Amino acid sequence: MSEPREKTSFAVLDATFIGHAKTVEGLPPPMLAEVAFAGKSNVGKSSLINKLVNRRKLVRTSSTPGATRGLSLFRVRLRLEGGAGAELDLVDLPGYGFAQRSKDERRSWGPMIEGYLERRVSLRAVLLLVDVRRGVAEEDAQLLAYLAHLERPAILVVTKCDKVSRRERDASLRAITRDARAAYPTLPIVATSAESGEGIPELWKATRRATFLEGAAPPAHGMNQLP
């Protein structure tokens, strides 16, 4: 009698830069499920995306916050639990709240981001990043309320959790949870660190559920590790 096969675990197999666009219309035609990454310009989006896909330099990190000025699209090839293959597109949105960009440039980002969130038919979930040391800013709360209004699935990703003590981290996460769910009551929240890898498996699990990659329903607020 043959031995039962061991269940194949989830893995990221490859990640590729597809293109950069200044407008929603400039993106490649929607073909795959997409996940968008949003947040303030110094919140660590590039580092988190690189950690998620196990690549050091897929997304260029810059010492100048706000370096992303358009929509950057990356394609990820995955092996799902059980062994099935899948592909997923990641879209890096421009960071907001960076004063050194020109007013005209910053004004142009609002309609571009709103147009993408409203009209991109392949968009399945938005990952909004907030720094554990900064909490939920006014712009973050506004974006969460906007996503709730659009009924777009979203996940709040708390970044840089390795930068604070355990006591500071716990207090900050309680405040972030309160403020974020005031704007989006059913919001899943995942604490992460691109440096240590904390929360990366949980974030992938929440993302796969939100994008239906493994046939699950979108995550409810109890999906994450926070109360």
Side-chain angles (χ1 to χ4, degrees):
M1 184 174 180
S2 62
E3 293 288 332
R5 291 186 178 181
E6 184 178 350
K7 186 177 181 180
T8 306
S9 60
F10 169 80
V12 177
L13 302 178
D14 192 23
T16 308
F17 172 70
I18 299 298
H20 184 81
K22 296 292 186 181
T23 65
V24 179
E25 291 73 21
L27 286 171
M31 296 178 60
L32 301 172
E34 288 179 7
V35 173
F37 291 76
K40 293 177 72 68
S41 52
N42 58 351
V43 78
K45 286 194 285 99
S46 299
S47 296
L48 182 79
I49 295 172
N50 286 335
K51 189 68 175 181
L52 279 169
V53 300
N54 297 321
R55 294 278 295 275
R56 291 186 178 182
K57 298 180 180 179
L58 179 68
V59 187
R60 288 191 303 172
T61 57
S62 173
S63 58
T64 304
T68 302
R69 301 191 185 191
L71 304 164
S72 296
L73 189 144
F74 306 89
R75 184 153 296 162
V76 184
R77 190 162 57 91
L78 306 169
R79 183 182 66 217
L80 303 180
E81 293 180 359
E87 290 185 311
L88 178 68
D89 284 347
L90 310 181
V91 178
D92 187 12
L93 304 180
Y96 47 82
F98 189 58
Q100 292 185 27
R101 297 298 179 209
S102 71
K103 290 183 179 180
D104 287 343
E105 185 175 18
R106 284 185 282 126
R107 275 197 294 265
S108 73
W109 292 349
M112 176 177 63
I113 293 174
E114 289 179 7
Y116 173 80
L117 296 177
E118 289 180 1
R119 302 197 303 271
R120 188 69 170 175
V121 296
S122 50
L123 178 61
R124 295 291 179 267
V126 178
L127 275 58
L128 175 61
L129 280 60
V130 299
D131 189 323
V132 69
R133 300 166 298 181
R134 307 286 181 259
V136 178
E138 181 179 355
E139 297 102 323
D140 301 322
Q142 290 173 351
L143 180 54
L144 286 173
Y146 182 58
L147 292 170
H149 171 72
L150 294 177
E151 298 184 341
R152 285 288 193 191
I155 302 168
L156 190 75
V157 184
V158 185
T159 64
K160 305 184 182 182
C161 286
D162 60 296
K163 304 297 185 184
V164 295
S165 69
R166 185 74 187 189
R167 177 178 294 182
E168 292 171 320
R169 176 186 184 277
D170 291 346
S172 180
L173 289 175
R174 286 193 294 270
I176 287 171
T177 300
R178 179 197 65 222
D179 295 342
R181 289 188 180 150
Y184 196 131
T186 60
L187 187 70
I189 301 170
V190 182
T192 69
S193 166
E195 184 69 26
S196 69
E198 176 190 353
I200 298 303
E202 291 80 7
L203 181 55
W204 264 123
K205 185 175 181 181
T207 300
R208 298 198 310 272
R209 294 190 69 189
T211 54
F212 300 95
L213 278 180
E214 291 179 324
H221 71 273
M223 165 66 204
N224 56 80
Q225 303 303 307
L226 300 181

